[in-house]
Amino acid sequence: MDHHLFAPTPPMGWNSWDCYGAAVTEAEVRGNADYMAQHLKEYGWDTIVVDIQWYEPDANSSIYRPFVPLVMDEYARLMPAENRFPSAANGRGFQPLADYVHQLGLKFGIHIMRGVPRQAVHAGTPIKNTTVTARDIAHPNSICPWNTDMYGVDAAKEGAQAYYDSLFELYAEWGVDFVKVDDIAASRLYDTHLPEIELIRRAIDRCGRPMVLSLSPGPAPVEYADFLSQNANMWRMTDDFWDRWDLLLDMFDRCERWQGKSTEGCWPDCDMLPLGHIGIRSVDGGGSDRWTRFTREEQLTMMSLWCLFRSPLFFGGELRDNDEWTLSLLTNRDVLEMHQSSSGARLLKREGNHIVWGADGANGCLYVACFNTGENPLEFSLPLQALGAAASVQAKELWTGETAVVKDSLCANVAPHGAALFRLDPL
């Protein structure tokens, strides 16, 4: 089955990292799934992802404990820590949790690290359906610079493909719908790990279950866009994104570099949305237990850019703590329609603190986002003809819902670090 069909529109979901780091529990995953099913599913949010180190019994934050024992089966495959995921007892793995998520009408995802567990390599653990061991397939010089759990897999070694096949065979048995593979799209020590990406692509294709493949971290090199499209559904354009204005400002450059590279089923990824209540057990991003440090204007800027660019949307906060404002950002039907159905996202203008992006919608409509990256309010006056719009349009600002008939020029007053997002329908 063509993997492009697995994510025909940019995926939307929740990921445990921004609020719980490596230490999320089954109860917290179930609670966020319950919230999504009740409050967000009707708007298109449908994927629940358990992020890193679900196999580490004593993980307690986003700081990894080096060289600690991990839970693993007899074939070098990591398994959920039962003290954190009680339903995984008796070798059931994530199947009971996936079943629970599926019963809510949602999809279930997990995070994995590229490679084979170091403890399996040191112990010479067998690889399923082969006569080789983890030691035989390991690439011990290929390591992650920020996590000690894994060695890379040498794709040239006998048993390398069989190892990844055995992983995804297990994930298919569990009912996994989405896999985020880390330390693979870019590296501080190495180039993008193209051979292991190909091993994973083949393993998914062979496992008999559609799984969306997400590659992290970034920045993935633009020159690999075709390769990434041929092998994955989404890939990070950035390292971990947090609630800091400098990182949000930088994302305009990244989106500009990647514009035109999205194809159906393949989505350059701006990373998660650090919104709402984050940092509960995650100290990554330079903070602790907090509500997002982004101002409301900055939150509108982030949501407008992510949605018009058609990045995947993965909410990072504790959903059950959402206030009305945060929930409103996730349930704006006009904005989400743009995110799911527009095309041709492109930079229209960038002069100083004025940034304008556009995208095409149905029935000849045009989406226009006006961003003010400066420290003072800005007036935008954009000739409709220069935007590629009709000479007379009905303009709807999608965040406020205000509408007006506009002739000749679209005008907007935009707050510092803020955005105005319009749909222009020809009259």
Side-chain angles (χ1 to χ4, degrees):
M1 187 175 179
D2 183 356
H3 75 275
H4 297 85
L5 302 176
F6 301 169
T9 58
M12 298 167 60
W14 174 83
N15 178 294
S16 59
W17 174 254
D18 284 0
C19 46
Y20 294 113
V24 72
T25 66
E26 179 168 355
E28 289 157 345
V29 174
R30 288 178 181 244
N32 279 274
D34 291 340
Y35 180 97
M36 181 177 287
Q38 184 175 352
H39 299 285
L40 296 175
K41 183 171 71 168
E42 65 175 291
Y43 297 92
W45 300 85
D46 67 359
T47 303
I48 295 289
V49 181
V50 180
D51 210 82
I52 195 168
Q53 281 201 326
W54 35 267
Y55 36 80
E56 212 279 68
D58 297 316
N60 56 25
S61 75
S62 55
I63 299 174
Y64 309 112
R65 303 186 314 128
F67 304 108
V68 294
L70 308 174
V71 181
M72 189 179 76
D73 75 359
E74 69 272 29
Y75 295 119
R77 301 181 298 186
L78 295 168
M79 302 291 286
E82 294 175 16
N83 63 319
R84 292 170 50 199
F85 298 91
S87 71
N90 302 314
R92 291 178 295 176
F94 271 133
Q95 183 174 354
L97 182 54
D99 287 346
Y100 182 84
V101 171
H102 292 152
Q103 287 164 11
L104 295 171
L106 304 174
K107 300 173 183 177
F108 179 70
I110 60 172
H111 171 293
I112 66 171
M113 293 292 291
R114 169 185 73 88
V116 61
R118 290 189 185 190
Q119 69 188 48
V121 174
H122 298 158
T125 305
I127 301 301
K128 189 177 182 183
N129 297 327
T130 73
T131 58
V132 305
T133 71
R135 187 175 300 160
D136 297 318
I137 67 169
H139 194 326
N141 288 330
S142 180
I143 59 172
C144 174
W146 42 265
N147 179 281
T148 61
D149 294 343
M150 315 293 274
Y151 289 125
V153 166
D154 185 339
K157 294 291 184 66
E158 179 187 351
Q161 185 66 61
Y163 166 70
Y164 273 114
D165 287 352
S166 75
L167 287 187
F168 284 88
E169 173 189 295
L170 179 65
Y171 304 155
E173 291 171 1
W174 287 349
V176 171
D177 306 294
F178 181 104
V179 180
K180 173 183 174 182
V181 184
D182 213 336
D183 186 41
I184 198 164
S187 172
R188 300 173 197 168
L189 297 179
Y190 320 97
D191 197 358
T192 303
H193 294 279
L194 306 182
E196 282 194 80
I197 293 173
E198 291 179 321
L199 293 177
I200 291 167
R201 174 75 268 144
R202 284 193 290 270
I204 295 176
D205 291 343
R206 293 172 177 179
C207 80
R209 183 178 180 85
M211 294 184 200
V212 171
L213 176 57
S214 167
L215 304 179
S216 289
V222 177
E223 56 266 31
Y224 294 149
D226 289 343
F227 175 89
L228 295 167
S229 294
Q230 291 163 13
N231 289 279
N233 298 105
M234 47 188 278
W235 52 89
R236 288 260 294 275
M237 310 188 304
T238 175
D239 204 341
D240 285 4
F241 179 81
W242 282 103
D243 48 336
R244 290 176 17 212
W245 172 246
D246 62 311
L247 297 179
L248 180 51
L249 186 59
D250 178 64
M251 198 60 66
F252 286 98
D253 295 334
R254 297 180 186 277
C255 289
E256 186 175 345
R257 285 196 292 273
W258 277 96
Q259 65 180 321
K261 302 298 185 183
S262 300
T263 58
E264 186 172 333
C266 302
W267 311 104
D269 179 13
C270 297
D271 197 19
M272 290 189 292
L273 301 164
L275 293 171
H277 187 190
I278 58 176
I280 297 170
R281 289 198 292 280
S282 179
V283 297
D284 199 13
S288 56
D289 192 338
R290 67 189 184 279
W291 280 73
T292 183
R293 293 174 294 209
F294 281 141
T295 65
R296 288 194 172 188
E297 288 77 18
E298 291 165 350
Q299 292 175 56
L300 291 174
T301 290
M302 178 176 62
M303 287 298 295
S304 298
L305 182 61
W306 267 236
C307 289
L308 188 143
F309 183 77
R310 303 193 76 194
S311 169
L313 301 179
F314 279 84
F315 186 84
E318 168 53 73
L319 286 171
R320 294 169 292 180
D321 293 340
N322 279 353
D323 57 9
E324 270 189 47
W325 164 261
T326 306
L327 182 59
S328 75
L329 295 175
L330 309 181
T331 56
N332 184 307
R333 292 191 186 277
D334 287 324
V335 175
L336 294 175
E337 180 184 5
M338 175 187 71
H339 175 255
Q340 292 290 289
S341 66
S342 64
S343 62
R346 57 200 178 272
L347 178 67
L348 297 177
K349 176 183 179 182
R350 187 167 186 174
E351 294 178 3
N353 298 323
H354 292 69
I355 301 178
V356 182
W357 275 75
D360 301 315
N363 301 316
C365 87
L366 178 70
Y367 293 103
V368 176
C370 305
F371 299 100
N372 173 8
T373 59
E375 305 304 320
N376 299 296
L378 278 181
E379 283 282 351
F380 285 74
S381 181
L382 306 170
L384 293 177
Q385 185 176 10
L387 295 174
S392 182
V393 297
Q394 169 116 340
K396 181 176 184 180
E397 206 291 318
L398 301 186
W399 293 115
T400 64
E402 296 176 1
T403 61
V405 173
V406 173
K407 297 181 179 180
D408 300 325
S409 291
L410 176 68
C411 297
N413 190 301
V414 182
H417 294 197
L421 179 60
F422 296 93
R423 187 182 69 225
L424 308 181
D425 291 292
L427 292 175

